[in-house]
Amino acid sequence: MTTAAQSRGPLRVAIVGAGPSGFFAAEALLRSNTPVEVTMIDRLPSPHGLVRAGVAPDHPKLKQATLVFEKIAQLEGFRFFGNVEIGRTIGIDDLRQTHHAVILSYGASEDQRIGVAGEDLANSHSAREFVGWYNGHPDYRDRRFDLSGEVAVIIGQGNVALDVARILSKPVDELRKTDIASHAMEVLAESRLREIYIVGRRGPAQAKFTSPELREFGTLAGCSATVVSEELELNEASRVEATDRMSRTIATNLEILSTFDNAGDNAKAKRCHFRFFLAPQVILGDTQVRAIQFARTALSGPAFDQKATVTDESWTLPCQFVLRSVGYRGVAVEGVPFEPRRGLVPHAEGRVVDLDGKVVPGLYAAGWIKRGPTGIIGTNRACGVATVETLLSDADRLGTDAKPGAEGLQQLLEKRGAHPTTFGDWRQIDRVEIERGERLGKPREKFTRVEEMLDLCKAAAE
């Protein structure tokens, strides 16, 4: 240990965001050979980020990552402060004054827009809103989704698009056995949707589906998956992509798509249509959605860098419900450099830099706010570990004075009249949610309002 580290005491690091990248960064810090204390902060009373509020309720195995997070929270030196929002409850400067370093891992909480007229008509929503609503996220508890029409269109071809299409397509009796929010279950049970379109600008070789999630559509009870066979034909550049050994998912997805029916099984109640080479031009309607006008597209450019160019051919699809699933973007936090075009915090090997490329001492980034909304849960481990390696390499330059860390933050929050939750409070919330779910025959029944969670924690403390 260096003389600077000895005089400083433990390296005290604040992590903003209690999702996968935050937890994996905390683990890397606490399991390092450097004496470290971690203060994790999240604006919600509950941790786990998109694993809790983003993973589809019918894919419970993906939520098992929370078991890893629970073990990380038990490591010596870990503290959790929920119900604390950076930029409102406290500022980034408060964290920098009480900690030697700050890791930003607060994700990407806004939507990319498709940029066409009619995007904000009634019954045109972002997939993020819909996902948050059926997963019980407090921000979306009071959203209203009208599923009384027969045709839904999902614009975008990634796994989020597959998730929302599957939730709209599955028999409600299957969904009742999941941890889907009860308020969403009531609406889905009354849904009249029968035709669900999953539409992309480019071709099947460029779709960003993962193969297991795509394959599932061939086995859905009560819903058949369809394609237009001509849209599965590949140009030369796409054939190169499909045969690349480093991109085996493309070939697998093409094989799966080729097994889908060209028309669909009319005996089934619903159909999911996978459509390609269609770019939305305008969402039509006076006050609410009634149709989407698409332009057909053609691909040009080299393999792995093909662009979709609109043609003169158009197609209008009557519909009553639209979900836009074309990606997420991060939001700016006061006092932190931000690239508005990309929706990211700029960085160099995890070190936050200003817009001139100059390193901001003691400030780091991990996860989606660092690299964009890409990858799976496990991708965040490598991302968080890489940032921590950079941070620890800077340890001797992070100051020689002791910082108060979690205790200093606690005192600051008390002075400001804030009411943070602890990890012990989260365990109480978790226990009660599971008990509520057991009474309904499901894994858990989530609290969907912050006030409910805070009231429970207050009552348990009395």
Side-chain angles (χ1 to χ4, degrees), residues 18 39-47 79-85 89 409 413 418-423 425-426 450 454:
T39 307
M40 181 173 284
I41 299 150
D42 200 276
R43 71 181 184 88
L44 291 179
S46 55
R79 289 278 297 275
F80 173 71
F81 289 78
N83 196 41
V84 174
E85 184 172 0
T89 319
L409 179 60
L413 292 171
H419 301 284
T421 56
T422 67
F423 213 82
D425 291 330
W426 156 243
V450 168
L454 296 181

Side-chain angles (χ1 to χ4, degrees), residues 344-393:
L344 301 174
V345 169
H347 73 95
E349 297 183 331
R351 299 179 184 91
V352 173
V353 298
D354 64 23
L355 297 183
D356 294 323
K358 184 179 179 181
V359 171
V360 181
L363 207 55
Y364 300 84
W368 281 9
I369 197 62
K370 169 188 173 183
R371 70 179 193 275
T374 60
I376 57 177
I377 292 171
T379 309
N380 292 287
R381 182 186 289 277
C383 182
V385 168
T387 292
V388 167
E389 288 176 350
T390 296
L391 187 156
L392 293 177
S393 74

Side-chain angles (χ1 to χ4, degrees), residues 110-116 118-121 324 326-329:
E110 285 192 352
D111 308 295
Q112 298 283 6
R113 293 176 64 83
I114 57 176
V116 301
E119 188 168 0
D120 295 317
L121 284 171
R324 311 178 305 273
V326 293
Y328 300 154
R329 54 182 286 111

Side-chain angles (χ1 to χ4, degrees), residues 61-126:
K61 288 185 178 180
L62 295 179
K63 300 190 181 192
Q64 291 178 355
T66 60
L67 301 177
V68 176
F69 302 159
E70 295 290 317
K71 291 181 179 178
I72 294 169
Q74 294 173 21
L75 294 174
E76 185 177 354
F78 179 93
R79 289 278 297 275
F80 173 71
F81 289 78
N83 196 41
V84 174
E85 184 172 0
I86 300 301
R88 180 170 298 181
T89 319
I90 57 172
I92 198 71
D93 286 342
D94 295 321
L95 293 181
R96 298 182 73 183
Q97 290 169 11
T98 53
H99 294 77
H100 297 102
V102 179
I103 298 177
L104 304 167
S105 62
Y106 59 87
S109 58
E110 285 192 352
D111 308 295
Q112 298 283 6
R113 293 176 64 83
I114 57 176
V116 301
E119 188 168 0
D120 295 317
L121 284 171
N123 241 19
S124 169
H125 307 273
S126 70

Side-chain angles (χ1 to χ4, degrees), residues 281-296:
Q281 300 300 291
V282 60
I283 300 176
L284 302 168
D286 297 324
T287 57
Q288 65 180 34
V289 173
R290 62 176 179 83
I292 301 182
Q293 182 178 314
F294 293 95
R296 297 195 183 275

